[in-house]
Amino acid sequence: MSRHMHIDALGGLSGDMFAAAMLSALPEAAERLRADLHDAGLDEHVALDIAEIRKSGFAATQLSFDIAAEAPPTHHWSDIRRMIEATALRAPVKQAAIAIFTGLAEAEAACHGIAVERVHFHEIADWDSIADIIAAASLIDSAGAASWSCSELPLGGGRVRTQHGLIPVPVPATAHLLTGFRFVDDGVAGERVTPTGAAILRHLAPRQGAAPAGLVLRGSGTGAGQRELEGIPNICRLLCFETADDRDLVGSIAFEIDDMTPEEISVALDRIRAGEGVLDAGYTLGHGKKSRIRYNVTVLSQPHLVEDVARLCLEETSTIGLRLEPLRRQILRRRAGRVQGLRSKTVDRPGGATTKIESDDLAGIATLAARRAAGGGTADG
């Protein structure tokens, strides 16, 4: 079984909202989270507080960090990176935390027109954000999800006061990080997605829209933000899905091509078939506009890698558009064996088991009649 996590950012998303929703959905991860915060060396300056509250009538988990008054400043990205690298954090948590922070630093650098190493996180609550990001990295690792998706993101509106003065929402770093994401204007103003929340989303690279079809819902969690919003609960809901069997769900990518030669399409499909996560690729011939010969291409992939395979299709062919959808499939139980020394595959069909000799093992037999005779035996193992 594999896990898929879906983020429904109803009220928005911040670092603490994400971590709270994850803890709500995966309460068993709390002990490991506390251990990771300790291994990150945060105990001296940061105290984790997890509370069960009601937010606009909904039961929710709220997470916050109490920062010691004597905690030293650690604003610069270069300082923060060195600090995280020197900790005793587990390797995957350390890597995820650095990746999230790197995205945030690159966004700030782009917005201010400076080198990444000179980024100064004066708009972020210092130790609080370090704790948020390490908590997010810890919980992402605990979830062990093979894939992620998220809803459309609330746009928000208005302005927020910063050390640079009043700036519009979404703030520049958030807008930079979420380029390519879809937003919805629900009419509620304010900063709905924070830079830290945006950096977490950019790191997860979720597909947007509903969770893939054919999954089994195993649990859910609700994380609460700190503010109260007018007319909408300031919560983030997280849905935790699993596949009953990885083989039951595949990703389907379909497209048409009418401007590649047979040689080019042959090479392209060979390269696509060799891609990670690709299960099969093929085409049928048809006629398109202006009576051109058209290749109707279908590629099947592992469901959590469909976006990567789609990108490969765009790189290897001349198509300018793809159709992506999840498909359920039914697979008969099969087992390997041998017939008279030749490899075979036996399949349990509704009417009884059938056996077929592997084609590669028949290829060395001299004539068609002999190959057909050798291919019609019964499995012996």
Side-chain angles (χ1 to χ4, degrees):
M1 292 188 295
S2 62
R3 176 175 283 170
H4 175 88
M5 308 293 276
H6 179 74
I7 302 167
D8 189 356
L10 177 64
L13 193 70
S14 60
D16 61 288
M17 288 175 73
F18 173 80
M22 291 285 284
L23 275 176
S24 178
L26 305 169
E28 67 276 9
E31 183 176 350
R32 177 176 279 186
L33 169 61
R34 293 185 183 278
D36 284 336
L37 292 172
H38 171 78
D39 290 344
L42 298 184
D43 285 358
E44 183 180 355
H45 306 302
V46 177
L48 172 64
D49 180 44
I50 303 172
E52 300 302 322
I53 67 166
R54 288 176 63 83
K55 177 69 75 169
S56 300
F58 291 97
T61 299
Q62 191 170 65
L63 182 147
S64 60
F65 291 100
D66 297 323
I67 311 302
E70 65 275 13
T74 59
H75 292 304
H76 287 91
W77 162 230
S78 56
D79 298 330
I80 294 171
R81 184 178 59 199
R82 282 193 294 269
M83 183 189 76
I84 295 174
E85 288 173 343
T87 67
L89 272 172
R90 294 178 292 122
V93 178
K94 183 183 295 188
Q95 291 165 5
I98 290 174
I100 294 169
F101 246 123
T102 298
L104 194 57
E106 290 173 348
E108 292 285 349
C111 293
H112 294 293
I114 59 174
V116 173
E117 295 301 318
R118 294 183 55 204
V119 166
H120 186 275
F121 287 126
H122 51 70
E123 304 300 349
I124 301 174
D126 204 11
W127 285 98
D128 184 65
S129 286
I130 296 173
D132 279 346
I133 288 174
I134 289 176
S138 171
L139 292 163
I140 290 168
D141 180 67
S142 291
S147 55
W148 294 77
S149 58
C150 75
S151 65
E152 292 183 326
L153 303 174
L155 183 63
R159 289 172 170 77
V160 293
R161 186 171 297 280
T162 71
Q163 291 194 9
H164 297 286
L166 288 173
I167 59 176
V169 171
V171 301
T174 297
H176 181 90
L177 285 160
L178 296 182
T179 298
F181 282 74
R182 295 194 303 275
F183 284 80
V184 60
D185 186 357
D186 57 15
V188 180
E191 185 179 27
R192 306 289 294 282
V193 181
T194 68
T196 302
I200 292 168
L201 282 176
R202 175 58 66 181
H203 172 69
L204 293 174
R207 63 180 294 271
Q208 276 196 283
L215 301 179
V216 180
L217 181 63
R218 296 300 188 191
S220 64
T222 303
Q226 306 296 327
R227 297 187 298 123
E228 298 293 333
L229 299 176
E230 184 176 351
I232 194 168
N234 189 19
I235 59 175
C236 171
R237 186 177 66 161
L238 194 143
L239 301 178
C240 180
F241 295 92
E242 286 182 351
T243 55
D245 187 326
D246 283 343
R247 299 174 300 174
D248 290 342
L249 191 69
V250 296
S252 175
I253 304 164
F255 54 96
E256 288 74 43
I257 296 172
D258 65 2
D259 59 353
M260 291 178 69
T261 67
E263 292 86 356
E264 289 173 333
I265 195 69
S266 176
V267 171
L269 287 179
D270 282 346
R271 293 177 66 86
I272 290 171
R273 290 189 194 99
E276 182 182 3
V278 176
L279 303 174
D280 198 5
Y283 67 84
T284 59
L285 286 176
H287 287 85
K289 60 186 179 180
K290 301 180 181 179
S291 297
R292 294 174 181 167
I293 295 295
R294 181 178 69 189
Y295 298 96
N296 304 310
V297 181
T298 301
V299 180
L300 299 180
S301 76
Q302 295 176 3
H304 64 284
L305 292 174
V306 67
E307 299 289 345
D308 293 339
V309 176
R311 185 163 51 250
L312 178 62
C313 291
L314 292 172
E315 291 172 350
E316 296 295 343
T317 73
S318 62
T319 186
I320 59 174
L322 308 172
R323 297 185 299 281
L324 282 65
E325 60 180 335
L327 295 179
R328 288 188 64 85
R329 62 175 178 174
Q330 187 174 9
I331 298 178
L332 297 176
R333 184 173 176 271
R334 77 280 310 269
R335 57 190 179 276
R338 285 189 175 273
V339 174
Q340 298 177 356
L342 303 176
R343 291 177 301 158
S344 66
K345 181 185 297 179
T346 299
V347 179
D348 294 331
R349 297 186 180 278
T354 61
T355 299
K356 182 178 180 180
I357 304 300
E358 293 289 352
S359 178
D360 287 347
D361 284 17
L362 295 173
I365 299 176
T367 66
L368 174 61
R371 289 193 294 272
R372 285 180 170 176
T378 302
D380 62 11

